[in-house]
Amino acid sequence: MNNYQQQLECCRTAADYIRPRLKKPPKIGIILGTALGSLADEITAAVQFPYREIPSFLQSTAPAHAGLLINGCLAGQDVICMSGRFHYYEGYSFAQLAAPIQLFKLLGVQLVIITNAAGAINLSYQPGDLMLISDHLNFMGAAPTRGPNPEEFGPRFFDVSRVYAPDLRLLAKELAGSIKANLHEGVYAYMTGPQFETPAEIRALRTLGADAVGMSTVPEVLAAAHCGLPVLGISVLTNMASGILPVDAPISQVEQIGNIAAADLATLIKGVLAALP
Ligand code: HPA
């Protein structure tokens, strides 16, 4: 299984394949989470790369994930967008989960927008709301950069205290009025899944300061911090987390509510893009 340095070498091969085929050298990288892929349809002047055609790249196995890398223009910005992401529960190592970020960095991206579907832990949140990620809890041992460190790519030890860039969050909050959904700001707890959490785990995570829980994002954010990319992270809260309501974890709600809230998420992201220099 690849470590971070080996994965970076694979991404160099992938980047060498993609670079001459780009329509617009991208400044912004976007990762779209479960059921949130519709934004990708709005990218204009686009060129698409199915993951299976990109040499040395990972293959997406999750349902509701398209498996496409798309380069083009969105709200006036040159972007590269991953419609379909990779999760630890699919069998990848944490190092492999860094691949999208490594690829973005090698293609010249300067900022990443990462989205996900998440369960709400904060009792004042509702399904269909959005949450700007201000910080995360990672008790999964997830460290994509473990192993030999490619110094030319990023330092061995690195700061993650401001990786969810405060200025980008401020900008997103200024745009909250343009969407129907409530926009919160809170702490995302990472659980690797694929099982949903137990009610006891959710109570514990609430006690520890989590506002939402999900099975993605943190490995990518750690990789972004390593190579110095600022992150805007946004969760679509598709359900109340386990044990909050007197029902089983509403797994079918994830896609259903995700599809509805995707419109607000798209409006918010396009607003942020339009406001960036
Ligand atoms: N738990 C974990 N991941 C999730 C959830 C949840 O409740 N909802 C959407 N993704």
Side-chain angles (χ1 to χ4, degrees), residues 117-119 196-197 213-215 238-239 241 254:
F196 275 45
E197 301 70 33
V213 60
M215 305 178 195
T238 53
N239 56 284
V254 173

PDB file of all heavy atoms in Angstrom, residues 117-119 196-197 213-215 238-239 241 254, ligand 1:
ATOM      1  N   ALA A 117     -21.204  15.571   3.115  1.00  0.00           N
ATOM      2  CA  ALA A 117     -22.468  15.352   3.806  1.00  0.00           C
ATOM      3  C   ALA A 117     -22.112  14.944   5.228  1.00  0.00           C
ATOM      4  O   ALA A 117     -21.165  14.184   5.437  1.00  0.00           O
ATOM      5  CB  ALA A 117     -23.247  14.237   3.122  1.00  0.00           C
ATOM      6  N   ALA A 118     -22.848  15.471   6.207  1.00  0.00           N
ATOM      7  CA  ALA A 118     -22.519  15.160   7.601  1.00  0.00           C
ATOM      8  C   ALA A 118     -23.784  15.042   8.425  1.00  0.00           C
ATOM      9  O   ALA A 118     -24.845  15.554   8.052  1.00  0.00           O
ATOM     10  CB  ALA A 118     -21.612  16.258   8.168  1.00  0.00           C
ATOM     11  N   GLY A 119     -23.660  14.366   9.554  1.00  0.00           N
ATOM     12  CA  GLY A 119     -24.763  14.271  10.502  1.00  0.00           C
ATOM     13  C   GLY A 119     -24.638  15.402  11.519  1.00  0.00           C
ATOM     14  O   GLY A 119     -23.532  15.731  11.959  1.00  0.00           O
ATOM     15  N   PHE A 196     -22.484   3.902  10.625  1.00  0.00           N
ATOM     16  CA  PHE A 196     -22.800   5.163  11.275  1.00  0.00           C
ATOM     17  C   PHE A 196     -22.415   5.027  12.749  1.00  0.00           C
ATOM     18  O   PHE A 196     -22.143   3.936  13.234  1.00  0.00           O
ATOM     19  CB  PHE A 196     -24.288   5.498  11.089  1.00  0.00           C
ATOM     20  CG  PHE A 196     -24.566   6.214   9.772  1.00  0.00           C
ATOM     21  CD1 PHE A 196     -24.003   5.785   8.586  1.00  0.00           C
ATOM     22  CD2 PHE A 196     -25.391   7.324   9.728  1.00  0.00           C
ATOM     23  CE1 PHE A 196     -24.238   6.444   7.386  1.00  0.00           C
ATOM     24  CE2 PHE A 196     -25.643   7.990   8.535  1.00  0.00           C
ATOM     25  CZ  PHE A 196     -25.064   7.557   7.358  1.00  0.00           C
ATOM     26  N   GLU A 197     -22.425   6.136  13.459  1.00  0.00           N
ATOM     27  CA  GLU A 197     -21.950   6.142  14.833  1.00  0.00           C
ATOM     28  C   GLU A 197     -23.000   5.538  15.766  1.00  0.00           C
ATOM     29  O   GLU A 197     -24.189   5.492  15.447  1.00  0.00           O
ATOM     30  CB  GLU A 197     -21.640   7.580  15.276  1.00  0.00           C
ATOM     31  CG  GLU A 197     -20.593   8.266  14.427  1.00  0.00           C
ATOM     32  CD  GLU A 197     -21.047   8.610  13.015  1.00  0.00           C
ATOM     33  OE1 GLU A 197     -22.243   8.924  12.823  1.00  0.00           O
ATOM     34  OE2 GLU A 197     -20.213   8.531  12.098  1.00  0.00           O
ATOM     35  N   VAL A 213     -20.710  15.357  12.278  1.00  0.00           N
ATOM     36  CA  VAL A 213     -19.855  14.164  12.136  1.00  0.00           C
ATOM     37  C   VAL A 213     -19.956  13.638  10.715  1.00  0.00           C
ATOM     38  O   VAL A 213     -21.011  13.661  10.106  1.00  0.00           O
ATOM     39  CB  VAL A 213     -20.263  13.077  13.159  1.00  0.00           C
ATOM     40  CG1 VAL A 213     -21.714  12.632  12.976  1.00  0.00           C
ATOM     41  CG2 VAL A 213     -19.334  11.863  13.103  1.00  0.00           C
ATOM     42  N   GLY A 214     -18.815  13.174  10.197  1.00  0.00           N
ATOM     43  CA  GLY A 214     -18.812  12.608   8.857  1.00  0.00           C
ATOM     44  C   GLY A 214     -17.603  11.721   8.622  1.00  0.00           C
ATOM     45  O   GLY A 214     -16.720  11.605   9.485  1.00  0.00           O
ATOM     46  N   MET A 215     -17.585  11.109   7.427  1.00  0.00           N
ATOM     47  CA  MET A 215     -16.604  10.061   7.112  1.00  0.00           C
ATOM     48  C   MET A 215     -15.572  10.505   6.067  1.00  0.00           C
ATOM     49  O   MET A 215     -15.016   9.663   5.364  1.00  0.00           O
ATOM     50  CB  MET A 215     -17.333   8.817   6.607  1.00  0.00           C
ATOM     51  CG  MET A 215     -18.396   8.289   7.549  1.00  0.00           C
ATOM     52  SD  MET A 215     -19.238   6.862   6.834  1.00  0.00           S
ATOM     53  CE  MET A 215     -20.687   6.744   7.907  1.00  0.00           C
ATOM     54  N   THR A 238     -27.184  16.449   6.527  1.00  0.00           N
ATOM     55  CA  THR A 238     -28.243  15.673   5.866  1.00  0.00           C
ATOM     56  C   THR A 238     -29.175  14.995   6.863  1.00  0.00           C
ATOM     57  O   THR A 238     -30.255  14.552   6.492  1.00  0.00           O
ATOM     58  CB  THR A 238     -27.623  14.589   4.956  1.00  0.00           C
ATOM     59  OG1 THR A 238     -26.699  13.824   5.729  1.00  0.00           O
ATOM     60  CG2 THR A 238     -26.918  15.204   3.763  1.00  0.00           C
ATOM     61  N   ASN A 239     -28.745  14.882   8.098  1.00  0.00           N
ATOM     62  CA  ASN A 239     -29.549  14.146   9.100  1.00  0.00           C
ATOM     63  C   ASN A 239     -29.092  14.547  10.490  1.00  0.00           C
ATOM     64  O   ASN A 239     -27.993  15.064  10.653  1.00  0.00           O
ATOM     65  CB  ASN A 239     -29.350  12.626   8.909  1.00  0.00           C
ATOM     66  CG  ASN A 239     -27.882  12.233   8.979  1.00  0.00           C
ATOM     67  OD1 ASN A 239     -27.121  12.458   8.033  1.00  0.00           O
ATOM     68  ND2 ASN A 239     -27.467  11.669  10.095  1.00  0.00           N
ATOM     69  N   ALA A 241     -27.600  13.271  13.832  1.00  0.00           N
ATOM     70  CA  ALA A 241     -26.732  12.121  14.084  1.00  0.00           C
ATOM     71  C   ALA A 241     -27.445  11.091  14.963  1.00  0.00           C
ATOM     72  O   ALA A 241     -28.469  11.382  15.596  1.00  0.00           O
ATOM     73  CB  ALA A 241     -25.431  12.585  14.731  1.00  0.00           C
ATOM     74  N   VAL A 254     -29.435  10.815   3.596  1.00  0.00           N
ATOM     75  CA  VAL A 254     -28.179  11.461   3.227  1.00  0.00           C
ATOM     76  C   VAL A 254     -28.234  11.925   1.780  1.00  0.00           C
ATOM     77  O   VAL A 254     -27.954  13.087   1.466  1.00  0.00           O
ATOM     78  CB  VAL A 254     -26.983  10.523   3.481  1.00  0.00           C
ATOM     79  CG1 VAL A 254     -25.694  11.122   2.944  1.00  0.00           C
ATOM     80  CG2 VAL A 254     -26.842  10.239   4.970  1.00  0.00           C
TER      81      VAL A 254
HETATM   82  N1  HPA B   1     -22.575  10.092  10.353  1.00  0.00           N
HETATM   83  C1  HPA B   1     -21.476   9.939   9.591  1.00  0.00           C
HETATM   84  N2  HPA B   1     -21.392  10.338   8.338  1.00  0.00           N
HETATM   85  C2  HPA B   1     -22.462  10.941   7.812  1.00  0.00           C
HETATM   86  C3  HPA B   1     -23.644  11.138   8.538  1.00  0.00           C
HETATM   87  C4  HPA B   1     -23.703  10.693   9.886  1.00  0.00           C
HETATM   88  O1  HPA B   1     -24.718  10.824  10.608  1.00  0.00           O
HETATM   89  N3  HPA B   1     -24.533  11.747   7.712  1.00  0.00           N
HETATM   90  C5  HPA B   1     -23.888  11.934   6.527  1.00  0.00           C
HETATM   91  N4  HPA B   1     -22.645  11.445   6.582  1.00  0.00           N
END
